[in-house]
Amino acid sequence: QVPQSVVGAGQLYVMGEANGPPNAAGYSSTAPTAVPFPEVTSSWREDRKNVTLLPPRKLPAESRYADLIEARQRTLGSMDLAAQVRLPTGCSEEEWLAFNTVDLFNELNLLVGAISDMCTEHTCPTMSAGSFGWQWADGDKVKTPQPLSAPKYMEKLLVWVESQLADETFLPVQPGQPFLPNFKKGIKVIYKRLFRIYAHVFHTHFKAMVDSDADAHLNHSFKHFVYFVKEFDLIEESELEPMADLINLLMRKRDAEASAGGAVSP
């Protein structure tokens, strides 16, 4: 279970590790101008915005996502998270999943990069979250699970996700290009694996995040991730078990706010 200090915390953030391939195909050389989670301002995030494992990914402005990019810029910070994750009128679910997955990848990429000084081969020899642990296999090039340190696991995970998002057969960019029939199945695998980064950070590095004044950012980021996952049923409940207490708390608060009329309509 997540420590009680985590469950009762107000807000928290996420990040990644370093030494990814320079100028990876499909990535912008500069960070996206639109911040995925603008509601929480953080000097900690500002200080580390260039510390990423991989170059941040940016969807082309002239693409099938142009209207979504423009709408996000127009409504930046004006909606609560529950409203933010809902499918906009006139947008296909596939495009909405693709659009938001790129943002969430960038956020986790930042998290892994920013914790590289506290999450090392020495401090985290296994990829774990409390009593839960994972070995690396991508089901393609690596089919036999391999025990890896947490930083190595997260590096391989983010590189693998990057390869999925850069594949226009899987995540089409041009208008009119169809999504594959198994697109949502593939997206679910991405989210199941990305969740493990949050689980590791909360269980292993939460105190250090608090000491770095990063707890508000981490909690907010995780809240956004959970709301989106729950809205589109992207992760099985059994996979969420390492963070079940905090997730249940977040969902109760969301439902209470909605019942009280606190939710903002999109």
Side-chain angles (χ1 to χ4, degrees), residues 30-265:
T30 57
T33 54
V35 178
F37 311 110
E39 291 85 347
V40 172
T41 58
S42 169
S43 60
W44 178 88
R45 189 188 201 283
E46 185 66 21
D47 291 343
R48 292 160 177 79
K49 65 182 179 181
N50 295 318
V51 184
T52 58
L53 176 66
L54 300 174
R57 185 160 188 77
K58 187 177 181 181
L59 290 166
E62 301 299 324
S63 70
R64 69 191 301 157
Y65 305 101
D67 289 345
L68 291 175
I69 294 171
E70 181 183 351
R72 180 178 62 185
Q73 295 282 9
R74 193 171 59 247
T75 61
L76 208 58
S78 64
M79 293 188 293
D80 68 4
L81 285 180
Q84 240 178 273
V85 302
R86 295 186 196 124
L87 181 66
T89 302
C91 178
S92 74
E93 181 175 304
E94 290 85 358
E95 286 186 338
W96 188 237
L97 290 175
F99 179 73
N100 283 276
T101 301
V102 170
D103 275 351
L104 288 162
F105 166 79
N106 285 335
E107 184 74 1
L108 280 158
N109 182 24
L110 174 63
L111 177 60
V112 175
I115 62 169
S116 59
D117 58 343
M118 66 180 79
C119 186
T120 67
E121 301 279 325
H122 177 69
T123 62
C124 303
T126 63
M127 181 62 178
S128 61
S131 62
F132 297 87
W134 301 279
Q135 296 184 343
W136 174 252
D138 60 14
D140 181 19
K141 295 179 181 178
V142 183
K143 295 186 178 180
T144 302
Q146 301 175 344
L148 297 174
S149 66
K152 285 297 183 184
Y153 183 101
M154 293 188 289
E155 177 183 348
K156 286 186 177 293
L157 170 55
L158 289 177
V159 169
W160 175 79
V161 173
E162 176 272 325
S163 71
Q164 305 301 301
L165 300 182
D167 181 0
E168 292 192 24
T169 303
F170 175 71
L171 196 152
V173 173
Q174 298 305 317
Q177 184 179 353
F179 286 85
L180 296 174
N182 64 347
F183 171 73
K184 190 167 184 180
K185 181 179 179 180
I187 283 290
K188 285 185 172 183
V189 176
I190 289 174
Y191 277 85
K192 176 180 72 174
R193 294 176 177 174
L194 287 177
F195 164 77
R196 297 167 184 172
I197 296 177
Y198 283 110
H200 175 73
V201 173
F202 270 101
H203 277 272
T204 310
H205 303 296
F206 182 78
K207 184 179 184 301
M209 298 293 280
V210 172
D211 292 342
S212 300
D213 294 326
D215 52 316
H217 202 149
L218 178 58
N219 275 344
H220 181 81
S221 178
F222 183 62
K223 179 180 177 181
H224 187 278
F225 181 90
V226 168
Y227 278 16
F228 192 74
V229 163
K230 289 292 188 178
E231 183 75 12
F232 296 98
D233 192 24
L234 298 176
I235 304 178
E236 297 291 335
E237 289 296 326
S238 60
E239 295 286 344
L240 297 172
E241 185 62 27
M243 297 291 293
D245 289 348
L246 182 55
I247 290 170
N248 290 337
L249 175 63
L250 290 172
M251 300 314 293
R252 287 197 302 270
K253 287 187 174 181
R254 184 200 67 172
D255 294 344
E257 288 171 359
S259 297
V264 179
S265 301

